[in-house]
Amino acid sequence: MVTKKITVKNKLGLHARAAVKLVNLANRFESSVKIEKDGNIIDGKSVLGTLTLAATKGTSITLKITGKDEEIALESLEALINDKFYEDE
Amino acid sequence: MNNVKLDYSRVRGTGVSPGIAYGEVLLTEKVDFSSKKESITKNRAIKEWERLQKASEQTKKQLEQIKKEVGNMIGEDHSFIFEAHLMILKDKALLLALEKLIKHDLCKAEWAISQVYDRYNKIFETITDEYLKQRKSDISDVLLRLYRNLIPQKRKKTDDKKDKIIVAHDLLPSEAAFRLNQGNVLAIALDMGGATSHTAILARSLNIPAVMGLRNITQKVKNGDYLIVDGSDGEVIIDPPFAIQREFADKRDKYDNYRKELQKTAKLKAFTLDGVEFSLMANIELSQEVKGAFSLGAKGIGLFRSEFIYLQRTDLPDEEDHFKVYSRLAEDAAPFPVYIRTVDIGGEKNLPQMKIEKEPNPALGLRAIRLSLRDREMFKIQLRAILRASVQGNIRLLIPMITELEEIEEVKLLLKEVKEELQSKNILFDENIPLGVMIEVPAAAAVSDRLAKEVDYFSIGTNDLIQYYLAVDRTNELVSHLFKPLHPSVLRLLRFIVKSAHKEGIEVSVCGEMSADPLAALVLMGLGVRRFSMNPIFIPRIKRALRSVECQNIEKIVRKAMTFKTAHEIEEYVIEKILFKHPTALLMQEVPLIM
């Protein structure tokens, strides 16, 4: 398992559009993707779960990825979050 | 004053689409689940679960249909939210929760949905962030649709046909697109949103007044209330007394007159006083902006920023995705030209789906044509789509960030390959599609005499060109005062580019912000530029400025101005001389438009 703590940087946080991007990307990997915030753990491959996380700008979330392609999955998801889901702000 | 009705209130927000409307409120539908818990047998529970699955299948079909319609009607980017809705619908967590409620708690499908709805509502109620809190509406939308589909074909048409003012917490672009296109929306007033949202862009392009960012307008009004929505000043007035209504009716007349003036300006011919023709075009990012731009007098799309096709999605667009956008552009603009600039991605516009490395100095890094020439397969997809769409209108190919001649040679080779491929498959395209380059790197400007022999036209991107040439980042406030479009060095460079183009008999246009500034546009005209492309809202004012002068005189003034030493001297001289001969040329009319 690989884990990494990441701060959500885009202005709107994990809103629907961002959540869809995240979930779509997560689903491209074989590994299981869990996201933890304040003790709540949700399935990163579920858009509902991701929306209920309510991760706003500045929130720290922890990615926990387990599986064959965990390294590349972590790298890609981290890039997406750090790139603010390619939103302008 | 004292005897008028005082129980009206004014709410301030941001005016995002100008104009004034008065009418009845239509609050957007709220989710209303009315079902009681009924215990059912196990056998019945299995039937209920089947009923729910059928409803889910039906919902899926509807969402896919809407997604397709919205995509065709106003563009793929607006249909994106339905992808989210489809994902929510097939979400495992949601299905599991519903299945458990029905099969274990033995209840009807309606009850199960209402329970799940409540559960998510509770979760979202604990969220303090206003924007995210609002996201529950996506889940609500899906659940409501599902709920309705439990009883097949019994959907009642509630909306009457009367024109109304839409009041909502937020309007998803897709939803907005859907509703605004029905033609019975007088205005929009939203708690959320801002001027750059797609809903705002859409409202502007359809001339529907809109005020956003009103915070809690949905709590202040109810269905049947009357409102004034003032999209020009960003204000909403609830239950206005007669005196206020009259005041706003006057304002509306004024605005309508202004619109008429604009339309008059849009119809005027683009000639200077001494009969020199010029051409004004629009810079746009979305295919649905064409009509709005043309209504302001644009005669063509001088710059379509194709990277927006990529920025709107999570995966890489395929050839069909590109093709759809370009076809629509070509058709909407025909017979006028559309200059499609191939992707300008890279640097700060990074996309994870492309796996571009982070760079220390993105403005000088792997971007635009540099990236396209590295990822040739992706570039060829775009070229193929542009070529295929070229038979549907007047399309031109524009290559950004050219620095050296070798790059244009490589582009030509790739273009040839793609053309041959299409020919071998008997796919039609415009064999003589004009190929042009952006002149935005000083090196390209310096060899523009050579480049002019290789391409069909130049488009000068003054923003980047000046930034690179003067080594000034104009967004950096410590040095932004050094960003001077009228710097003598810049004018010399521009003159050289224009002369290079004219010598080879190729067309040259300017698509940077200089085009949108009356003084700078006049100077460009003095340097020999006749084609200008800009944010469409500036077209009327540039048209007025250019129409009010004699081109010959401007050329003379600019020639003389080139002998001065500083940007300041040049500016002073040009303004003085122009005003002396053409006192109205630099008059910026009052623009009640925002943005």
mmCIF file of all heavy atoms in Angstrom, chain B residues 342-377:
data_model
loop_
_atom_site.group_PDB
_atom_site.id
_atom_site.type_symbol
_atom_site.label_atom_id
_atom_site.label_comp_id
_atom_site.label_asym_id
_atom_site.label_seq_id
_atom_site.Cartn_x
_atom_site.Cartn_y
_atom_site.Cartn_z
ATOM 1 N N THR B 342 -4.145 25.702 -33.397
ATOM 2 C CA THR B 342 -3.913 24.380 -32.813
ATOM 3 C C THR B 342 -3.506 24.568 -31.352
ATOM 4 O O THR B 342 -3.128 25.665 -30.939
ATOM 5 C CB THR B 342 -2.832 23.589 -33.581
ATOM 6 O OG1 THR B 342 -1.619 24.325 -33.556
ATOM 7 C CG2 THR B 342 -3.275 23.334 -35.012
ATOM 8 N N VAL B 343 -3.603 23.497 -30.575
ATOM 9 C CA VAL B 343 -3.526 23.625 -29.114
ATOM 10 C C VAL B 343 -2.341 24.425 -28.609
ATOM 11 O O VAL B 343 -1.217 24.242 -29.032
ATOM 12 C CB VAL B 343 -3.493 22.260 -28.396
ATOM 13 C CG1 VAL B 343 -4.839 21.626 -28.450
ATOM 14 C CG2 VAL B 343 -2.417 21.377 -28.950
ATOM 15 N N ASP B 344 -2.633 25.314 -27.682
ATOM 16 C CA ASP B 344 -1.584 26.023 -26.962
ATOM 17 C C ASP B 344 -1.625 25.539 -25.517
ATOM 18 O O ASP B 344 -2.070 26.243 -24.625
ATOM 19 C CB ASP B 344 -1.795 27.536 -27.054
ATOM 20 C CG ASP B 344 -0.592 28.310 -26.508
ATOM 21 O OD1 ASP B 344 0.327 27.662 -25.970
ATOM 22 O OD2 ASP B 344 -0.574 29.539 -26.612
ATOM 23 N N ILE B 345 -1.189 24.295 -25.347
ATOM 24 C CA ILE B 345 -1.139 23.711 -24.004
ATOM 25 C C ILE B 345 0.318 23.573 -23.637
ATOM 26 O O ILE B 345 1.192 23.615 -24.486
ATOM 27 C CB ILE B 345 -1.806 22.322 -23.980
ATOM 28 C CG1 ILE B 345 -3.253 22.451 -24.404
ATOM 29 C CG2 ILE B 345 -1.737 21.689 -22.592
ATOM 30 C CD1 ILE B 345 -3.989 21.147 -24.395
ATOM 31 N N GLY B 346 0.554 23.335 -22.353
ATOM 32 C CA GLY B 346 1.922 23.201 -21.888
ATOM 33 C C GLY B 346 2.197 24.356 -20.964
ATOM 34 O O GLY B 346 1.359 25.229 -20.780
ATOM 35 N N GLY B 347 3.369 24.356 -20.366
ATOM 36 C CA GLY B 347 3.649 25.434 -19.433
ATOM 37 C C GLY B 347 2.637 25.433 -18.323
ATOM 38 O O GLY B 347 2.357 24.401 -17.734
ATOM 39 N N GLU B 348 1.994 26.569 -18.087
ATOM 40 C CA GLU B 348 1.096 26.630 -16.933
ATOM 41 C C GLU B 348 -0.242 25.955 -17.198
ATOM 42 O O GLU B 348 -0.953 25.603 -16.282
ATOM 43 C CB GLU B 348 0.907 28.076 -16.455
ATOM 44 C CG GLU B 348 0.194 28.957 -17.433
ATOM 45 C CD GLU B 348 1.170 29.750 -18.278
ATOM 46 O OE1 GLU B 348 2.018 29.141 -18.961
ATOM 47 O OE2 GLU B 348 1.105 30.970 -18.243
ATOM 48 N N LYS B 349 -0.592 25.790 -18.489
ATOM 49 C CA LYS B 349 -1.826 25.077 -18.797
ATOM 50 C C LYS B 349 -1.525 23.587 -18.879
ATOM 51 O O LYS B 349 -1.477 22.998 -19.952
ATOM 52 C CB LYS B 349 -2.402 25.542 -20.132
ATOM 53 C CG LYS B 349 -3.181 26.829 -20.036
ATOM 54 C CD LYS B 349 -3.834 27.111 -21.379
ATOM 55 C CE LYS B 349 -3.703 28.572 -21.745
ATOM 56 N NZ LYS B 349 -3.553 28.802 -23.166
ATOM 57 N N ASN B 350 -1.249 22.994 -17.754
ATOM 58 C CA ASN B 350 -0.827 21.602 -17.740
ATOM 59 C C ASN B 350 -2.021 20.674 -17.616
ATOM 60 O O ASN B 350 -2.990 20.969 -16.946
ATOM 61 C CB ASN B 350 0.107 21.393 -16.540
ATOM 62 C CG ASN B 350 0.837 20.098 -16.650
ATOM 63 O OD1 ASN B 350 0.583 19.301 -17.546
ATOM 64 N ND2 ASN B 350 1.743 19.867 -15.730
ATOM 65 N N LEU B 351 -1.963 19.560 -18.282
ATOM 66 C CA LEU B 351 -3.038 18.581 -18.197
ATOM 67 C C LEU B 351 -2.473 17.232 -17.768
ATOM 68 O O LEU B 351 -1.626 16.686 -18.455
ATOM 69 C CB LEU B 351 -3.701 18.409 -19.565
ATOM 70 C CG LEU B 351 -4.422 19.608 -20.153
ATOM 71 C CD1 LEU B 351 -5.016 19.239 -21.486
ATOM 72 C CD2 LEU B 351 -5.507 20.085 -19.213
ATOM 73 N N PRO B 352 -2.956 16.684 -16.665
ATOM 74 C CA PRO B 352 -2.436 15.397 -16.213
ATOM 75 C C PRO B 352 -2.603 14.311 -17.271
ATOM 76 O O PRO B 352 -1.763 13.436 -17.394
ATOM 77 C CB PRO B 352 -3.278 15.083 -14.988
ATOM 78 C CG PRO B 352 -3.807 16.370 -14.537
ATOM 79 C CD PRO B 352 -3.919 17.244 -15.741
ATOM 80 N N GLN B 353 -3.705 14.382 -18.068
ATOM 81 C CA GLN B 353 -3.903 13.305 -19.029
ATOM 82 C C GLN B 353 -2.826 13.315 -20.103
ATOM 83 O O GLN B 353 -2.707 12.401 -20.875
ATOM 84 C CB GLN B 353 -5.313 13.349 -19.647
ATOM 85 C CG GLN B 353 -5.606 14.491 -20.590
ATOM 86 C CD GLN B 353 -6.416 15.587 -19.935
ATOM 87 O OE1 GLN B 353 -6.079 16.039 -18.843
ATOM 88 N NE2 GLN B 353 -7.476 16.048 -20.582
ATOM 89 N N MET B 354 -2.040 14.388 -20.138
ATOM 90 C CA MET B 354 -0.963 14.418 -21.118
ATOM 91 C C MET B 354 0.385 14.112 -20.492
ATOM 92 O O MET B 354 1.401 14.025 -21.177
ATOM 93 C CB MET B 354 -0.890 15.786 -21.772
ATOM 94 C CG MET B 354 -2.006 15.986 -22.732
ATOM 95 S SD MET B 354 -1.725 17.474 -23.613
ATOM 96 C CE MET B 354 -3.289 17.601 -24.431
ATOM 97 N N LYS B 355 0.414 14.029 -19.188
ATOM 98 C CA LYS B 355 1.657 13.700 -18.490
ATOM 99 C C LYS B 355 2.823 14.611 -18.888
ATOM 100 O O LYS B 355 3.864 14.160 -19.340
ATOM 101 C CB LYS B 355 2.035 12.236 -18.747
ATOM 102 C CG LYS B 355 0.963 11.247 -18.290
ATOM 103 C CD LYS B 355 1.589 9.928 -17.867
ATOM 104 C CE LYS B 355 0.595 9.042 -17.157
ATOM 105 N NZ LYS B 355 -0.341 8.392 -18.080
ATOM 106 N N ILE B 356 2.597 15.897 -18.769
ATOM 107 C CA ILE B 356 3.663 16.855 -19.068
ATOM 108 C C ILE B 356 4.443 17.117 -17.778
ATOM 109 O O ILE B 356 3.858 17.297 -16.721
ATOM 110 C CB ILE B 356 3.079 18.184 -19.589
ATOM 111 C CG1 ILE B 356 2.183 17.930 -20.798
ATOM 112 C CG2 ILE B 356 4.192 19.148 -19.943
ATOM 113 C CD1 ILE B 356 1.331 19.114 -21.199
ATOM 114 N N GLU B 357 5.743 17.134 -17.907
ATOM 115 C CA GLU B 357 6.581 17.394 -16.729
ATOM 116 C C GLU B 357 6.388 18.844 -16.276
ATOM 117 O O GLU B 357 6.172 19.737 -17.075
ATOM 118 C CB GLU B 357 8.052 17.209 -17.100
ATOM 119 C CG GLU B 357 8.391 15.857 -17.669
ATOM 120 C CD GLU B 357 8.821 14.895 -16.580
ATOM 121 O OE1 GLU B 357 9.407 15.362 -15.594
ATOM 122 O OE2 GLU B 357 8.545 13.698 -16.723
ATOM 123 N N LYS B 358 6.505 19.053 -14.963
ATOM 124 C CA LYS B 358 6.496 20.424 -14.439
ATOM 125 C C LYS B 358 7.783 21.112 -14.888
ATOM 126 O O LYS B 358 8.837 20.511 -14.889
ATOM 127 C CB LYS B 358 6.465 20.394 -12.913
ATOM 128 C CG LYS B 358 5.076 20.310 -12.344
ATOM 129 C CD LYS B 358 4.595 21.704 -11.939
ATOM 130 C CE LYS B 358 3.180 21.686 -11.400
ATOM 131 N NZ LYS B 358 2.170 21.293 -12.373
ATOM 132 N N GLU B 359 7.641 22.368 -15.243
ATOM 133 C CA GLU B 359 8.825 23.078 -15.719
ATOM 134 C C GLU B 359 9.084 24.305 -14.867
ATOM 135 O O GLU B 359 8.155 24.928 -14.383
ATOM 136 C CB GLU B 359 8.600 23.520 -17.165
ATOM 137 C CG GLU B 359 8.388 22.361 -18.108
ATOM 138 C CD GLU B 359 8.089 22.845 -19.518
ATOM 139 O OE1 GLU B 359 8.452 23.985 -19.857
ATOM 140 O OE2 GLU B 359 7.500 22.066 -20.268
ATOM 141 N N PRO B 360 10.371 24.666 -14.707
ATOM 142 C CA PRO B 360 10.689 25.832 -13.891
ATOM 143 C C PRO B 360 10.270 27.135 -14.557
ATOM 144 O O PRO B 360 9.998 28.123 -13.898
ATOM 145 C CB PRO B 360 12.208 25.769 -13.739
ATOM 146 C CG PRO B 360 12.682 24.913 -14.862
ATOM 147 C CD PRO B 360 11.565 23.975 -15.196
ATOM 148 N N ASN B 361 10.202 27.148 -15.885
ATOM 149 C CA ASN B 361 9.939 28.397 -16.580
ATOM 150 C C ASN B 361 8.952 28.160 -17.725
ATOM 151 O O ASN B 361 9.328 28.166 -18.891
ATOM 152 C CB ASN B 361 11.281 28.923 -17.118
ATOM 153 C CG ASN B 361 11.260 30.426 -17.213
ATOM 154 O OD1 ASN B 361 10.186 31.049 -17.245
ATOM 155 N ND2 ASN B 361 12.430 31.010 -17.264
ATOM 156 N N PRO B 362 7.688 27.951 -17.367
ATOM 157 C CA PRO B 362 6.720 27.454 -18.346
ATOM 158 C C PRO B 362 6.559 28.327 -19.592
ATOM 159 O O PRO B 362 6.361 27.808 -20.682
ATOM 160 C CB PRO B 362 5.412 27.378 -17.569
ATOM 161 C CG PRO B 362 5.674 27.925 -16.232
ATOM 162 C CD PRO B 362 7.118 28.137 -16.039
ATOM 163 N N ALA B 363 6.672 29.669 -19.430
ATOM 164 C CA ALA B 363 6.463 30.537 -20.592
ATOM 165 C C ALA B 363 7.525 30.265 -21.658
ATOM 166 O O ALA B 363 7.334 30.534 -22.836
ATOM 167 C CB ALA B 363 6.504 32.000 -20.176
ATOM 168 N N LEU B 364 8.666 29.752 -21.207
ATOM 169 C CA LEU B 364 9.755 29.478 -22.150
ATOM 170 C C LEU B 364 9.913 27.975 -22.370
ATOM 171 O O LEU B 364 10.962 27.503 -22.774
ATOM 172 C CB LEU B 364 11.082 30.052 -21.610
ATOM 173 C CG LEU B 364 11.068 31.526 -21.212
ATOM 174 C CD1 LEU B 364 12.442 31.954 -20.714
ATOM 175 C CD2 LEU B 364 10.669 32.395 -22.404
ATOM 176 N N GLY B 365 8.896 27.222 -22.063
ATOM 177 C CA GLY B 365 9.057 25.771 -22.053
ATOM 178 C C GLY B 365 8.361 25.044 -23.182
ATOM 179 O O GLY B 365 8.132 25.595 -24.265
ATOM 180 N N LEU B 366 8.052 23.794 -22.867
ATOM 181 C CA LEU B 366 7.422 22.912 -23.853
ATOM 182 C C LEU B 366 5.943 23.247 -23.952
ATOM 183 O O LEU B 366 5.129 22.753 -23.181
ATOM 184 C CB LEU B 366 7.606 21.464 -23.401
ATOM 185 C CG LEU B 366 7.060 20.391 -24.344
ATOM 186 C CD1 LEU B 366 7.835 20.371 -25.638
ATOM 187 C CD2 LEU B 366 7.096 19.031 -23.673
ATOM 188 N N ARG B 367 5.589 24.120 -24.871
ATOM 189 C CA ARG B 367 4.177 24.459 -25.023
ATOM 190 C C ARG B 367 3.833 24.626 -26.500
ATOM 191 O O ARG B 367 4.712 24.695 -27.356
ATOM 192 C CB ARG B 367 3.827 25.727 -24.232
ATOM 193 C CG ARG B 367 4.693 26.926 -24.556
ATOM 194 C CD ARG B 367 4.210 28.169 -23.838
ATOM 195 N NE ARG B 367 3.125 28.804 -24.605
ATOM 196 C CZ ARG B 367 2.874 30.113 -24.566
ATOM 197 N NH1 ARG B 367 3.575 30.918 -23.785
ATOM 198 N NH2 ARG B 367 1.895 30.623 -25.293
ATOM 199 N N ALA B 368 2.556 24.708 -26.761
ATOM 200 C CA ALA B 368 2.027 24.974 -28.110
ATOM 201 C C ALA B 368 2.641 24.049 -29.153
ATOM 202 O O ALA B 368 2.682 22.843 -28.960
ATOM 203 C CB ALA B 368 2.223 26.449 -28.446
ATOM 204 N N ILE B 369 3.165 24.617 -30.251
ATOM 205 C CA ILE B 369 3.638 23.783 -31.353
ATOM 206 C C ILE B 369 4.799 22.890 -30.914
ATOM 207 O O ILE B 369 4.994 21.789 -31.434
ATOM 208 C CB ILE B 369 4.034 24.642 -32.588
ATOM 209 C CG1 ILE B 369 4.254 23.759 -33.811
ATOM 210 C CG2 ILE B 369 5.288 25.453 -32.307
ATOM 211 C CD1 ILE B 369 3.033 22.955 -34.245
ATOM 212 N N ARG B 370 5.551 23.321 -29.911
ATOM 213 C CA ARG B 370 6.666 22.505 -29.435
ATOM 214 C C ARG B 370 6.142 21.179 -28.893
ATOM 215 O O ARG B 370 6.715 20.122 -29.118
ATOM 216 C CB ARG B 370 7.424 23.258 -28.341
ATOM 217 C CG ARG B 370 7.971 24.574 -28.827
ATOM 218 C CD ARG B 370 8.474 25.423 -27.683
ATOM 219 N NE ARG B 370 8.996 26.692 -28.195
ATOM 220 C CZ ARG B 370 9.509 27.635 -27.424
ATOM 221 N NH1 ARG B 370 9.570 27.456 -26.115
ATOM 222 N NH2 ARG B 370 9.954 28.748 -27.962
ATOM 223 N N LEU B 371 5.037 21.290 -28.160
ATOM 224 C CA LEU B 371 4.421 20.094 -27.605
ATOM 225 C C LEU B 371 3.785 19.265 -28.722
ATOM 226 O O LEU B 371 3.912 18.045 -28.755
ATOM 227 C CB LEU B 371 3.366 20.504 -26.570
ATOM 228 C CG LEU B 371 2.687 19.351 -25.836
ATOM 229 C CD1 LEU B 371 3.649 18.736 -24.830
ATOM 230 C CD2 LEU B 371 1.440 19.836 -25.117
ATOM 231 N N SER B 372 3.109 19.952 -29.639
ATOM 232 C CA SER B 372 2.446 19.237 -30.742
ATOM 233 C C SER B 372 3.447 18.459 -31.581
ATOM 234 O O SER B 372 3.163 17.366 -32.045
ATOM 235 C CB SER B 372 1.690 20.221 -31.635
ATOM 236 O OG SER B 372 0.631 20.819 -30.929
ATOM 237 N N LEU B 373 4.634 19.034 -31.782
ATOM 238 C CA LEU B 373 5.621 18.334 -32.596
ATOM 239 C C LEU B 373 6.289 17.202 -31.821
ATOM 240 O O LEU B 373 6.938 16.339 -32.395
ATOM 241 C CB LEU B 373 6.680 19.307 -33.119
ATOM 242 C CG LEU B 373 6.182 20.248 -34.222
ATOM 243 C CD1 LEU B 373 7.257 21.242 -34.621
ATOM 244 C CD2 LEU B 373 5.702 19.468 -35.440
ATOM 245 N N ARG B 374 6.139 17.224 -30.515
ATOM 246 C CA ARG B 374 6.686 16.120 -29.748
ATOM 247 C C ARG B 374 5.683 14.977 -29.668
ATOM 248 O O ARG B 374 6.040 13.814 -29.752
ATOM 249 C CB ARG B 374 7.061 16.574 -28.338
ATOM 250 C CG ARG B 374 8.162 15.713 -27.776
ATOM 251 C CD ARG B 374 8.614 16.206 -26.442
ATOM 252 N NE ARG B 374 7.687 15.818 -25.398
ATOM 253 C CZ ARG B 374 8.058 15.542 -24.160
ATOM 254 N NH1 ARG B 374 9.327 15.616 -23.824
ATOM 255 N NH2 ARG B 374 7.176 15.221 -23.267
ATOM 256 N N ASP B 375 4.416 15.353 -29.508
ATOM 257 C CA ASP B 375 3.383 14.326 -29.446
ATOM 258 C C ASP B 375 2.629 14.343 -30.770
ATOM 259 O O ASP B 375 1.517 14.861 -30.882
ATOM 260 C CB ASP B 375 2.436 14.617 -28.274
ATOM 261 C CG ASP B 375 1.552 13.429 -27.965
ATOM 262 O OD1 ASP B 375 1.442 12.536 -28.840
ATOM 263 O OD2 ASP B 375 0.983 13.399 -26.872
ATOM 264 N N ARG B 376 3.250 13.793 -31.798
ATOM 265 C CA ARG B 376 2.728 13.954 -33.161
ATOM 266 C C ARG B 376 1.401 13.256 -33.388
ATOM 267 O O ARG B 376 0.591 13.725 -34.175
ATOM 268 C CB ARG B 376 3.757 13.449 -34.166
ATOM 269 C CG ARG B 376 4.922 14.391 -34.197
ATOM 270 C CD ARG B 376 6.073 13.894 -34.986
ATOM 271 N NE ARG B 376 7.132 14.856 -34.748
ATOM 272 C CZ ARG B 376 7.812 15.473 -35.701
ATOM 273 N NH1 ARG B 376 7.594 15.163 -36.947
ATOM 274 N NH2 ARG B 376 8.710 16.366 -35.390
ATOM 275 N N GLU B 377 1.205 12.144 -32.716
ATOM 276 C CA GLU B 377 -0.052 11.423 -32.940
ATOM 277 C C GLU B 377 -1.231 12.286 -32.509
ATOM 278 O O GLU B 377 -2.238 12.381 -33.191
ATOM 279 C CB GLU B 377 -0.051 10.076 -32.203
ATOM 280 C CG GLU B 377 0.756 9.005 -32.927
ATOM 281 C CD GLU B 377 0.507 8.997 -34.448
ATOM 282 O OE1 GLU B 377 -0.670 8.860 -34.850
ATOM 283 O OE2 GLU B 377 1.470 9.149 -35.227
#
